[in-house]
């Protein structure tokens, strides 16, 4: 994990009323083009992607492209 910056500010993606340690997904952005993702239950396991790919993923989520992965989601 030595190539992961130590000064990242992690933001937890959890419902506002969520209590406890999760597991939740956390995201951090560096000053360049990289985006870091990790799960609170395994914080040393960090996935890295680019800002362009992250933005495309977020647009896909907003457009409902991944709704079929959500249990109980309507088709």
């Amino acid at each position: 994990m030595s190539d992961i910056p130590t000064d990242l500010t992690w933001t937890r993606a959890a419902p506002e009323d969520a209590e406890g340690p999760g597991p939740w997904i956390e995201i951090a952005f560096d000053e360049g083009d990289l985006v870091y993702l990790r799960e609170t239950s395994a914080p040393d396991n960090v996935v890295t992607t680019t800002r362009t790919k992250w933005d495309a993923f977020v647009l896909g989520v907003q457009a409902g492209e991944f709704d079929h992965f959500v249990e109980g989601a309507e088709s």
Side-chain angles (χ1 to χ4, degrees):
M1 192 166 113
S2 61
D3 57 340
I4 305 299
T6 58
D7 61 345
L8 293 172
T9 300
W10 293 94
T11 302
R12 186 167 293 177
E16 288 185 23
D17 60 347
E19 295 183 20
W24 310 112
I25 298 295
E26 294 180 318
I27 184 171
F29 299 89
D30 73 3
E31 293 181 12
D33 184 48
L34 295 179
V35 179
Y36 301 87
L37 299 159
R38 68 182 184 185
E39 189 172 331
T40 55
S41 63
D44 290 336
N45 186 14
V46 178
V47 176
T48 306
T49 190
T50 65
R51 184 63 182 248
T52 300
K53 291 177 184 178
W54 174 255
D55 290 345
F57 172 73
V58 170
L59 289 173
V61 169
Q62 291 173 337
E65 294 177 17
F66 304 100
D67 288 354
H68 63 282
F69 290 112
V70 178
E71 187 175 323
E74 294 180 25
S75 299

